[in-house]
Amino acid sequence: MFDMQKIKTEIEIDGFNSIYYFEFGKDFSHAPEKHNFWEMVYVDSGQINAITNGIGCTLEQGQAIFHEPLEPHAHISDNKVSNNMLVVSFSTDSEIMHYFKNKTFTLDKTSKTLLGLFLDEAKNALGNIPGDYENKNNLHFLHEVFGSSQLLQCYFTEFLIRLIRSGNSLSENVISSKKSRDIANNSISELICDYLKNNIYGNITLKDVCTQFLLGKTQLCKIFRENTDQSPMEYYMNLKMKEAKKLIREKNHSVSQISDILGYSSIHIFSRAFKKSVGMSPTSYAKSIY
């Protein structure tokens, strides 16, 4: 008597790749990354700078951003306040997902409630929600309560549908404004500086830096010079020479040993670089301070 009316599926989530709830300090940062699935980042408290394809925006409490598959992105604390973040990565081929590209959202009460229900159900599915950024283990619903993974899908799908219905997104111009670009460039430059400092005893090349930060050579050098008045390799060289002078003053190593410690392939290359930077050879510098 009654024919079945088939349900139209606007958004179909195939599965979740990761679910994290992070409590970060005010100095948290990570290098740009990309992956072949969607990622949603929601700031539960505090604020954080989100960098997407070299363009940045500040996300405040109650706001969320989406990163599409293979989109380079990073998240950096503002050095002012700590922050809590919910990060959900998921796989879907639904065409409507293009709506979320280059948009940030200020969540209303209903959307926040749905994320709260999602978090509660994540605990039923996972036992506890990972909060360690270094934990890159695969997601497993090994001890899930009956129906919990399906409810995760339902709550998150409703969350996405309500965002589309409400149209409660910030303008795309907010993300591409000069202020946002400055936020991104400053943050990326700081990350590059930290990366070079942490590898002062290595032999980092410009290609290594570009690979690490998913940026082309021209764009990376332009961003870095605008914020430091140096090229990345000039900055790296200055770091090494400063460390070389420190090691020479400490008198615990020979010049040859210092050359090895700082990652130079030969003492001759090290000596040339030192003389170019300091104005005298390492031996002459050692004599001048002894």
Side-chain angles (χ1 to χ4, degrees):
M1 181 176 179
F2 296 105
D3 293 334
M4 181 189 74
Q5 176 64 56
K6 188 175 181 180
I7 296 173
K8 183 179 181 180
T9 305
E10 302 284 6
I11 300 177
E12 186 169 358
I13 296 177
D14 299 322
F16 295 98
N17 301 83
S18 67
I19 301 172
Y20 291 102
Y21 188 87
F22 296 120
E23 298 181 6
F24 290 139
K26 61 183 180 180
D27 58 350
F28 169 78
S29 64
H30 71 80
E33 61 183 18
K34 62 180 179 179
H35 36 64
N36 62 355
F37 43 78
W38 281 88
E39 180 178 298
M40 188 279 300
V41 176
Y42 169 68
V43 179
D44 197 21
S45 68
Q47 65 180 35
I48 198 161
N49 295 328
I51 316 299
T52 304
N53 277 321
I55 299 174
C57 65
T58 298
L59 292 178
E60 299 182 351
Q61 182 174 344
Q63 294 183 331
I65 191 170
F66 287 79
H67 301 296
E68 66 177 330
L70 302 180
E71 178 180 77
H73 59 275
H75 305 103
I76 304 167
S77 297
D78 61 2
N79 292 317
K80 296 178 182 178
V81 295
S82 58
N83 52 80
N84 292 1
M85 292 167 44
L86 170 64
V87 178
V88 180
S89 60
F90 56 100
S91 295
T92 176
D93 292 324
S94 299
E95 291 185 8
I96 191 62
M97 286 301 298
H98 75 271
Y99 173 82
F100 295 95
K101 183 177 179 179
N102 292 335
K103 286 189 176 75
T104 60
F105 297 82
T106 299
L107 303 193
D108 58 19
K109 184 177 179 180
T110 301
S111 296
K112 291 178 182 177
T113 299
L114 284 169
L115 284 187
L117 292 170
F118 178 88
L119 270 174
D120 288 340
E121 209 54 53
K123 294 173 186 176
N124 287 332
L126 298 170
N128 59 73
I129 302 174
D132 179 8
Y133 181 76
E134 301 302 325
N135 175 9
K136 305 299 183 183
N137 295 329
N138 290 329
L139 196 65
H140 292 294
F141 299 139
L142 296 178
H143 306 291
E144 67 173 294
V145 177
F146 172 77
S148 56
S149 60
Q150 187 174 358
L151 281 175
L152 283 177
Q153 182 191 46
C154 291
Y155 288 140
F156 202 74
T157 301
E158 183 178 356
F159 170 72
L160 297 177
I161 291 172
R162 286 187 174 275
L163 288 182
I164 294 173
R165 278 186 174 185
S166 69
N168 192 22
S169 67
L170 302 178
S171 168
E172 294 184 30
N173 292 330
V174 172
I175 297 180
S176 60
S177 68
K178 182 180 184 303
K179 180 180 178 182
S180 296
R181 288 196 299 271
D182 290 343
I183 289 171
N185 291 347
N186 290 339
S187 299
I188 290 173
S189 295
E190 290 174 3
L191 286 178
I192 294 173
C193 288
D194 289 340
Y195 174 70
L196 295 176
K197 288 175 184 175
N198 292 335
N199 287 279
I200 193 171
Y201 299 122
N203 188 19
I204 299 299
T205 65
L206 182 57
K207 182 179 179 181
D208 294 329
V209 182
C210 292
T211 300
Q212 177 72 12
F213 291 92
L214 306 176
L215 292 171
K217 177 181 175 181
T218 301
Q219 183 185 10
L220 185 142
C221 290
K222 181 176 182 291
I223 289 172
F224 195 82
R225 186 174 289 280
E226 285 177 350
N227 288 275
T228 65
D229 293 324
Q230 302 176 73
S231 73
M233 292 298 97
E234 287 172 341
Y235 182 86
Y236 190 46
M237 178 70 67
N238 289 335
L239 285 176
K240 283 182 173 289
M241 292 304 103
K242 183 178 180 181
E243 185 69 9
K245 289 192 289 183
K246 173 177 171 289
L247 292 173
I248 291 173
R249 290 195 303 271
E250 290 174 350
K251 306 179 184 180
N252 294 323
H253 305 283
S254 67
V255 172
S256 178
Q257 289 172 330
I258 292 172
S259 172
D260 291 337
I261 290 171
L262 291 174
Y264 285 90
S265 58
S266 75
I267 188 173
H268 303 293
I269 294 176
F270 168 66
S271 296
R272 283 199 300 271
F274 190 95
K275 187 172 183 178
K276 181 180 179 180
S277 175
V278 181
M280 62 180 77
S281 68
T283 303
S284 298
Y285 177 77
K287 290 178 180 178
S288 72
I289 63 174
Y290 293 165

